[in-house]
């Protein structure tokens, strides 16, 4: 047996899930697609007392665009999100980043919400959520609250979700009209953990950058927003000079982790190069 | 931990078993059903040797718990051949020598069948992109890609 022992529940209703979470607290772990969770169990990196399987819950696999928000439910699989017209319409950045999320067989099973809750520091979607101003809808037996992405991702493999809460939906505001997006990643193999990924969005009016978002993955404990690089762009004429300066600011803003694949200098270089490329792509897609 | 009863279909045959919740699908297939064609490579969903079809779509059986499969339909490499012999994708791997040591081959064939199901005439770039999640340490992929292209062509008839 690879995973450690645990009890297993597979409730039919969300109320039952919330009751179980209230009862078991830190000992409980929710499983949806399980595409990060089961490998972590196999590595015995986690020892949950009870696994709460939410795959039988009705009505949580929605992907919709309403009131200017893309809404993705806890059981929407990556594949369905990736292929949905709502995503390409509401969040070009997410659509650009999605092909980098793992492999086809994993995307068939894994979920966007599970991916966000896992918050792997090399993961693309937490960075996209941060860049997009996404909100997480967390539910517990005590009620529902909404947490902004910037408050949700709290550190290495951790989030603001309490032990008695489940992420039932992520809401991503529709990208403003005219915004361009770019996303680039370097990883050892396609679909593998990113050494570095950079996403950028850009708005341009009257020949000047009016709004920029630059986010990095793979550089620390979680998704990183390069505020100084964004500030460097505000008011600047979009072009290679401005993008080089912003890329330098982005590289300066990180304190990257190191491993035997990529040391800190290499990761800084990647942030610099990928930021420049992502901004150039974003600028070419502004209208 | 308490055993949990689960009933699902494997290669068209209904299977009911009481399993320890931590039993991975790949272990269930190999150790309970003795279907050892599905191989265990990495246990962390990276290598694709354990690829099976779950409800008609490829999935990595090392990243699934058997207990989660109530009502599901699973097809393994043992389930793809027809009454007349090998599946066209298996025949193409034989014809084009799409293997060396053979360890990754069951996963490659299962993925190849899925690629052919989703792409009418997959070209080399499509096949290579779709094989992102299946690693081979021997072949350099050349003959695997040729096998899948030929298998897809035979499957269309």
């Amino acid at each position: 047996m690879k995973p450690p022992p645990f009890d297993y529940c597979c409730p039919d209703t969300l109320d039952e899930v919330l009751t179980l979470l209230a009862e078991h607290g830190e000992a409980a772990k929710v499983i949806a697609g399980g595409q990060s969770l089961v490998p972590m169990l196999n590595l015995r990196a986690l020892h949950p007392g009870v696994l709460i399987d939410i795959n039988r819950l009705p009505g949580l696999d929605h992907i919709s665009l309403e009131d200017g928000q893309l809404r993705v439910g806890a059981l929407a699989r990556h594949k369905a999100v990736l292929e949905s017209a709502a995503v390409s319409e509401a969040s070009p950045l997410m659509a650009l980043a999605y092909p980098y999320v793992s492999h086809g067989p994993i995307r068939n099973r894994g979920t966007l919400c599970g991916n966000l809750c896992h918050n792997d520091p090399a993961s693309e979607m937490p960075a996209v959520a941060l860049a997009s101003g996404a909100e997480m809808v967390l539910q517990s037996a005590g009620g529902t609250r909404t947490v902004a992405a910037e408050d949700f991702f709290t550190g290495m493999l951790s989030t603001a979700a309490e032990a008695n809460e489940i992420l039932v939906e992520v809401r991503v505001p529709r990208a403003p009209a005219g915004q361009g997006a770019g996303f680039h990643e370097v990883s050892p193999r396609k679909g593998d953990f990113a050494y570095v990924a950079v996403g950028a969005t850009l708005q341009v009016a009257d020949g000047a950058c009016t709004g920029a978002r630059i986010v990095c993955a793979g550089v620390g404990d979680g998704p990183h927003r390069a505020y100084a690089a964004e500030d460097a762009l505000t008011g600047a004429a979009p072009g290679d000079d401005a993008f080089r300066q912003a890329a330098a600011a982005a590289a300066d803003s990180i304190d990257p982790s190191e491993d035997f694949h990529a040391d800190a200098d290499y990761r800084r270089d990647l942030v610099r190069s990928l930021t420049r490329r992502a901004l150039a792509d974003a600028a070419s897609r502004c209208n | 931990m308490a055993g949990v009863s689960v009933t699902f279909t494997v290669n068209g045959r209904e299977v009911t078993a009481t399993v320890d919740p931590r039993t991975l699908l790949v272990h269930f297939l190999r150790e309970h059903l003795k279907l050892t064609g599905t191989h265990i490579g990495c246990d962390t969903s990276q290598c694709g040797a354990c690829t099976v079809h779950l409800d008609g779509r490829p999935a990595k059986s090392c990243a699934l718990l058997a207990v989660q499969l109530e009502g599901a339909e699973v097809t393994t490499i043992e389930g793809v051949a027809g009454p007349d012999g090998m599946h066209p994708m298996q025949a193409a791997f034989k014809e084009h020598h799409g293997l060396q040591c053979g360890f990754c081959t069951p996963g490659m064939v299962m993925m190849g069948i899925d690629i052919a199901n989703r792409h009418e005439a997959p070209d080399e770039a499509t096949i290579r992109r779709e094989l992102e999640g299946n690693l081979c340490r021997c072949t350099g992929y050349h003959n695997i890609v040729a096998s899948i292209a030929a298998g897809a062509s035979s499957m269309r008839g």
Side-chain angles (χ1 to χ4, degrees):
Chain A
M1 292 285 184
K2 279 279 172 175
F6 48 79
D7 281 322
Y8 173 82
C9 314
C10 192
D12 293 312
T13 66
L14 184 56
D15 280 348
E16 288 172 81
V17 170
L18 300 178
T19 303
L20 285 164
L21 284 172
E23 184 183 333
H24 293 284
E26 297 283 352
K29 193 78 189 164
V30 170
I31 183 166
Q35 298 300 285
S36 298
L37 182 58
V38 176
M40 285 182 80
L41 292 171
N42 290 349
L43 293 167
R44 301 211 172 193
L46 285 175
H47 294 78
V50 56
L51 220 53
I52 303 173
D53 188 341
I54 62 168
N55 280 284
R56 281 190 206 158
L57 302 191
L60 276 179
D61 62 350
H62 56 280
I63 304 165
S64 64
L65 181 53
E66 45 189 293
D67 303 331
Q69 279 184 323
L70 171 69
R71 298 180 179 195
V72 179
L75 283 174
R77 312 287 164 180
H78 286 307
K79 180 182 165 67
V81 183
L82 163 68
E83 292 176 351
S84 83
V87 168
S88 47
E89 189 181 337
S91 178
L93 180 64
M94 183 180 283
L96 285 169
Y98 239 124
Y100 293 97
V101 177
S102 199
H103 318 114
I106 302 289
R107 293 195 297 256
N108 284 341
R109 182 81 182 165
T111 63
L112 174 60
C113 285
N115 183 256
L116 296 171
C117 288
H118 181 52
N119 192 22
D120 188 285
S123 187
E124 296 84 4
M125 287 300 139
V128 168
L130 187 62
S132 310
E135 294 176 333
M136 316 297 159
V137 182
L138 298 169
Q139 200 164 343
S140 71
T144 302
R145 68 181 177 127
T146 302
V147 177
E150 61 195 53
D151 299 320
F152 183 71
F153 303 110
T154 52
M156 177 69 73
L157 303 177
S158 56
T159 70
E162 300 290 343
N164 64 344
E165 288 179 317
I166 175 175
L167 176 61
V168 289
E169 182 179 89
V170 56
R171 296 177 180 166
V172 183
R174 180 201 281 263
Q179 185 188 75
F183 192 93
H184 283 273
E185 176 170 318
V186 171
S187 60
R189 291 183 301 269
K190 186 73 175 26
D192 207 333
F193 294 107
Y195 294 156
V196 168
V198 176
T201 60
L202 197 61
Q203 288 161 269
V204 175
D206 301 326
C209 299
T210 55
R213 289 282 173 95
I214 298 168
V215 289
C216 312
V219 300
D221 288 348
H224 169 78
R225 192 167 153 198
Y227 290 99
E230 296 174 5
D231 291 345
L233 281 170
T234 305
D240 198 46
D241 285 348
F243 299 157
R244 278 175 189 275
Q245 282 183 27
D252 284 345
S253 76
I254 62 167
D255 182 15
S257 47
E258 296 194 86
D259 56 35
F260 59 85
H261 292 297
D263 64 17
D265 284 345
Y266 179 49
R267 284 196 155 92
R268 273 193 210 93
D269 270 353
L270 287 176
V271 166
R272 192 176 297 113
S273 301
L274 301 185
T275 300
R276 206 175 131 215
R277 287 181 212 166
L279 283 169
D281 282 359
S284 73
R285 292 170 180 142
C286 287
N287 52 45
Chain B
M1 295 291 157
V4 177
S5 176
V6 61
T7 299
F8 59 106
T9 303
V10 178
N11 299 333
R13 186 167 65 93
E14 190 174 281
V15 176
T16 299
T18 299
V19 297
D20 185 327
R22 60 180 164 152
T23 308
L24 301 175
L25 174 60
V26 69
H27 289 144
F28 183 80
L29 294 171
R30 291 177 57 85
E31 292 166 20
H32 293 247
L33 302 183
K34 308 300 180 193
L35 295 172
T36 53
T38 301
H39 291 168
I40 301 174
C42 67
D43 274 334
T44 47
S45 77
Q46 299 172 70
C47 79
C50 70
T51 304
V52 298
H53 290 183
L54 170 61
D55 295 328
R57 301 202 300 188
K60 300 196 175 186
S61 58
C62 75
L64 295 167
L65 301 169
V67 75
Q68 289 191 285
L69 299 181
E70 181 65 38
E73 280 188 30
V74 173
T75 305
T76 71
I77 189 69
E78 290 90 345
V80 300
D84 301 328
M86 285 193 289
H87 185 282
M89 190 59 72
Q90 290 174 304
F93 269 72
K94 183 183 178 199
E95 170 69 22
H96 293 270
H97 197 58
L99 62 146
Q100 284 183 30
C101 84
F103 195 87
C104 70
T105 312
M108 290 288 179
V109 171
M110 297 310 286
M111 196 62 208
I113 292 170
D114 178 65
I115 293 169
N117 285 340
R118 287 182 294 110
H119 299 276
E120 197 172 324
D123 60 14
E124 181 182 341
T126 302
I127 294 168
R128 286 184 180 271
R129 187 180 69 244
E130 291 279 355
L131 283 180
E132 279 168 10
N134 293 73
L135 301 183
C136 170
R137 302 305 299 270
C138 308
T139 64
Y141 301 92
H142 183 87
N143 285 2
I144 293 173
V145 174
S147 300
I148 292 173
S153 176
S154 325
M155 280 169 67
R156 284 196 310 279

